[in-house]
Amino acid sequence: MGVHDAMYILGGKWKISIMACLFFGPKRYSDILRNVKGISGKMLSRELKEMEVNQLIKRTVTSNQPITVIYEMTECGASTKPIVSVLAEWGETYRKQMIEKTPADI
């Protein structure tokens, strides 16, 4: 049941990448769009809204001119950092292993 709950909140192609971007500090929408390679603006908006509803991130609108929207991790979202770090380490190891293999090894 716990894995199902976690996958419901963290699942999808983009959430982990967005979270990894925000672990480095608060970002504007355009910064996230630039840093998360391959995501469309429409999909980023959708994912950010879901993440905000699930209390993984916080959206702050400044009253300065021009109006700026900043996204940052909440305490709940920040608690996933160890999980995301382990996934990142595993991904790097996997990529290195695949690069080292020749087509004959596969």
Side-chain angles (χ1 to χ4, degrees), residues 40-84:
S40 69
K42 184 178 179 180
M43 182 57 73
L44 178 58
S45 292
R46 184 182 311 160
E47 295 287 87
L48 289 170
K49 284 176 188 169
E50 283 183 27
M51 293 170 74
E52 186 178 9
V53 166
N54 290 317
Q55 300 178 2
L56 297 173
I57 63 170
K58 177 179 143 185
R59 179 180 185 266
T60 305
V61 180
T62 65
S63 59
N64 302 344
Q65 288 294 352
I67 293 174
T68 305
V69 178
I70 301 292
Y71 294 91
E72 61 187 307
M73 299 301 291
T74 61
E75 188 175 328
C76 177
S79 72
T80 65
K81 191 170 185 176
I83 299 163
V84 175

Side-chain angles (χ1 to χ4, degrees), residues 14-59:
W14 302 108
K15 285 186 181 79
I16 300 293
S17 296
I18 294 167
M19 293 170 74
C21 176
L22 291 174
F23 286 140
F24 291 99
K27 303 270 187 297
R28 295 178 319 179
Y29 176 89
S30 59
D31 296 330
I32 301 168
L33 188 62
R34 186 174 33 259
N35 287 308
V36 179
K37 302 295 182 213
I39 194 169
S40 69
K42 184 178 179 180
M43 182 57 73
L44 178 58
S45 292
R46 184 182 311 160
E47 295 287 87
L48 289 170
K49 284 176 188 169
E50 283 183 27
M51 293 170 74
E52 186 178 9
V53 166
N54 290 317
Q55 300 178 2
L56 297 173
I57 63 170
K58 177 179 143 185
R59 179 180 185 266

